[in-house]
Amino acid sequence: MLSKNFSKDEQLFNLFNVIFMIFFIAIIALPLWNILALSFNDAKDAIRGGIYFWPRKFSIESYLTVFEDKSIYKAFVISVLKTVIGVFVHTAFTACVAYGISRKDLVFRDFYIRTGILAMFVSGGLIPTFLLFKNLGLINNFWVYIIPVAFSFYDMIILMNFFRSIPYSLEESAMMDGANPFTIFIKIVLPLSLPVLATIALFHGVYQWNDYMTANIFIENRNLYPLQMLLYRIVSENLSAGVATGARVVRQTTSQSLQLATMVCTTVPVIVIYPFLQKYFIQGMTLGSIKE
């Protein structure tokens, strides 16, 4: 009787989890699907409302208007460059620091950790940061997207915990064969750390792709605008189709339709890439939480 009751309770629990997951996915997916349907609907017809799951009058005029503007191609290139370069620099630099901090024989190790934790909660503020970047020549400079976020103490903690889980006997064996610490890090530690490195790369890649505040505060040159900043301009300025995109060809579009079409264009790359990194993301978060 107890086993039967337990089985029923377990089935009810699993059923509840399934219903909860379906509800949770619906909350996230339905708004995105509605945006997609509206973006492919005729702009003037969409103003009438009543479009939820399927376009009432299918049209790609909004997308044609968006892609007629040359600035969106420049913004796309900037977004790709800052994401690729930013992910490489951030992951490599953070991994190097995390490997050093993971060694218990590191001099002043506790001081570095306490300083990093303090820096996570205390910052100089926006104005001192702006003045510092100005003195460093990072204003209106592409490297303002890369250098200030080249290191994250939070990501370093994840990597450090994973590095500490790697048996030290592997490093001792390599040392006996004449390998130096740099060789051990490159040829032994990093290959064993691909899941957690992919996790950090995904974290930072999504941040770089979605970030527009850096450009909004530190960039005035429109040639250095990323795609998200261009979307922000379209949404905030709320201009007509011709003015918002600079397009000379008059199309049947509205400001809202352009906003939705641009939102879809900026979201699709992340949606396409994420499934390929999802398994590494889950493994990395689990392995990175192991502590001695």
Side-chain angles (χ1 to χ4, degrees), residues 46-70:
I47 298 176
R48 294 165 46 198
I51 300 173
Y52 301 105
F53 302 109
W54 305 103
R56 188 166 46 227
K57 291 184 179 181
F58 184 83
S59 174
I60 59 172
E61 293 294 313
S62 298
Y63 288 94
L64 292 177
T65 304
V66 168
F67 286 109
E68 277 178 355
D69 183 18
K70 293 183 179 179

Side-chain angles (χ1 to χ4, degrees), residues 31-198:
L32 296 176
W33 185 262
N34 179 249
I35 291 174
L36 187 65
L38 285 169
S39 67
F40 279 104
N41 196 83
D42 181 75
K44 292 186 177 180
D45 178 73
I47 298 176
R48 294 165 46 198
I51 300 173
Y52 301 105
F53 302 109
W54 305 103
R56 188 166 46 227
K57 291 184 179 181
F58 184 83
S59 174
I60 59 172
E61 293 294 313
S62 298
Y63 288 94
L64 292 177
T65 304
V66 168
F67 286 109
E68 277 178 355
D69 183 18
K70 293 183 179 179
S71 63
I72 195 171
Y73 298 102
K74 294 180 181 178
F76 181 79
V77 172
I78 292 295
S79 291
V80 171
L81 286 177
K82 83 186 192 75
T83 300
V84 173
I85 298 175
V87 165
F88 176 78
V89 172
H90 177 85
T91 306
F93 187 73
T94 304
C96 290
V97 177
Y99 179 68
I101 296 294
S102 67
R103 302 299 92 186
K104 293 183 178 180
D105 56 348
L106 178 67
V107 180
F108 301 125
R109 178 175 178 269
D110 292 339
F111 171 77
Y112 297 144
I113 293 177
R114 292 172 183 173
T115 303
I117 294 174
L118 179 64
M120 291 176 65
F121 299 99
V122 180
S123 65
L126 180 59
I127 295 177
T129 301
F130 183 87
L131 295 176
L132 175 63
F133 287 5
K134 184 178 181 180
N135 291 332
L136 293 175
L138 293 176
I139 303 299
N140 284 324
N141 191 324
F142 173 81
W143 291 102
V144 75
Y145 299 125
I146 310 299
I147 296 177
V149 290
F151 176 76
S152 168
F153 192 79
Y154 176 81
D155 293 343
M156 190 276 293
I157 292 176
I158 297 176
L159 287 168
M160 179 187 69
N161 288 331
F162 180 84
F163 292 155
R164 290 174 61 185
S165 68
I166 298 176
Y168 188 69
S169 57
L170 293 176
E171 299 185 25
E172 290 181 334
S173 299
M175 290 179 184
M176 293 178 63
D177 292 335
N180 56 48
F182 184 78
T183 303
I184 295 172
F185 176 67
I186 296 297
K187 295 187 177 181
I188 297 178
V189 176
L190 289 185
L192 294 174
S193 308
L194 290 181
V196 72
L197 291 175

Side-chain angles (χ1 to χ4, degrees), residues 170-231:
L170 293 176
E171 299 185 25
E172 290 181 334
S173 299
M175 290 179 184
M176 293 178 63
D177 292 335
N180 56 48
F182 184 78
T183 303
I184 295 172
F185 176 67
I186 296 297
K187 295 187 177 181
I188 297 178
V189 176
L190 289 185
L192 294 174
S193 308
L194 290 181
V196 72
L197 291 175
T199 301
I200 300 303
L202 180 61
F203 271 150
H204 194 70
V206 172
Y207 162 78
Q208 283 283 12
W209 185 262
N210 292 329
D211 176 46
Y212 72 91
M213 284 303 298
T214 302
N216 190 31
I217 298 173
F218 304 112
I219 299 294
E220 295 179 359
N221 184 358
R222 285 182 173 267
N223 292 326
L224 293 176
Y225 277 177
L227 200 56
Q228 295 294 342
M229 186 60 191
L230 185 63
L231 170 61

